[in-house]
């Protein structure tokens, strides 16, 4: 069942969304989870390896317990399904992120794309759309690629 969004506003670093069912608040943790879900869904479905990678990344980045990370990812999945317009509205949180956070988010997105061992063109396209939507510059994405390859390329 989809829920129509009646209004939304930015309040500090939170996105406040009003629906007939009430008011919901979304923060940068939710934004990161939603971006990773959006990227992972690029190939049509979220593979088990991608889900595990998202949970691990969220857990590590926000210093959460595994169950909290799983809950955040699960909530992001259901909210994005119930409120399709939320994807667009979440982009409003982009300017609240620091440059370092943006680079970390881009790196996490790359790790999710690679998690199942296959790089689908559709996932990379979703990744590019997500980065652009929240205002992550091509230079920042390039730095994230550099970090990704530094972490994943075997030593000399």
């Amino acid at each position: 069942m989809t829920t129509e969004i009646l209004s939304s506003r930015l309040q500090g670093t939170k996105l406040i969304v009003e629906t007939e069912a009430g008011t919901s608040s979304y923060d940068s943790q939710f934004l990161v989870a939603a971006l990773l879900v959006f990227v992972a869904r690029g190939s049509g479905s979220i593979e088990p390896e991608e889900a595990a990678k998202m949970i691990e990344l969220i857990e590590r980045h926000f210093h959460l317990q595994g169950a909290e990370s799983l809950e955040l990812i699960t909530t992001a999945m259901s909210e994005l399904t119930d409120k399709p317009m939320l994807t667009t509205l979440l982009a409003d949180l982009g300017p609240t992120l620091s440059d370092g956070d943006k680079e970390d988010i881009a790196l996490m997105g790359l790790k999710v794309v690679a998690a199942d061992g296959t790089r689908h063109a559709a996932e990379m396209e979703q990744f590019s759309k997500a980065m652009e939507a929240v205002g992550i510059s091509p230079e920042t994405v390039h730095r994230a690629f550099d970090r990704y390859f530094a972490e994943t390329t075997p030593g000399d």
Side-chain angles (χ1 to χ4, degrees):
M1 175 184 91
T2 60
T3 304
E4 184 180 345
I5 295 175
L6 302 174
S7 69
S8 68
R9 68 184 182 286
L10 215 63
Q11 190 171 316
T13 59
K14 293 192 183 285
L15 174 67
I16 310 300
V17 173
E18 294 179 38
T19 64
E20 289 179 2
T23 302
S24 299
S25 170
Y26 304 96
D27 59 10
S28 61
Q29 285 186 354
F30 183 88
L31 172 64
V32 171
L35 283 171
L36 296 180
V37 167
F38 181 77
V39 169
R41 284 183 174 164
S43 63
S45 64
I46 298 175
E47 300 300 323
E49 300 89 354
E50 293 168 330
K53 182 56 79 176
M54 287 189 292
I55 292 166
E56 172 194 328
L57 292 168
I58 295 285
E59 185 178 326
R60 197 172 332 138
H61 186 75
F62 293 113
H63 309 287
L64 299 175
Q65 297 298 315
E68 293 172 300
S69 180
L70 174 61
E71 182 179 352
L72 183 57
I73 294 290
T74 303
T75 301
M77 287 178 177
S78 65
E79 289 287 300
L80 293 174
T81 300
D82 291 347
K83 301 173 187 144
M85 287 268 314
L86 187 58
T87 304
T88 306
L89 296 174
L90 284 170
D92 292 344
L93 287 172
T96 69
L97 301 170
S98 71
D99 288 341
D101 285 339
K102 289 178 179 182
E103 187 175 323
D104 289 344
I105 291 166
L107 178 61
M108 288 188 279
L110 291 171
K111 289 178 177 182
V112 168
V113 168
D116 63 358
T118 318
R119 283 185 308 240
H120 296 282
E123 281 180 336
M124 286 307 296
E125 190 174 314
Q126 287 282 88
F127 171 82
S128 294
K129 286 179 186 176
M131 298 304 106
E132 187 178 319
V134 293
I136 299 177
S137 71
E139 295 79 19
T140 300
V141 171
H142 183 76
R143 285 193 306 274
F145 267 105
D146 288 346
R147 284 175 58 194
Y148 176 79
F149 289 122
E151 288 179 19
T152 58
T153 304
D156 302 56

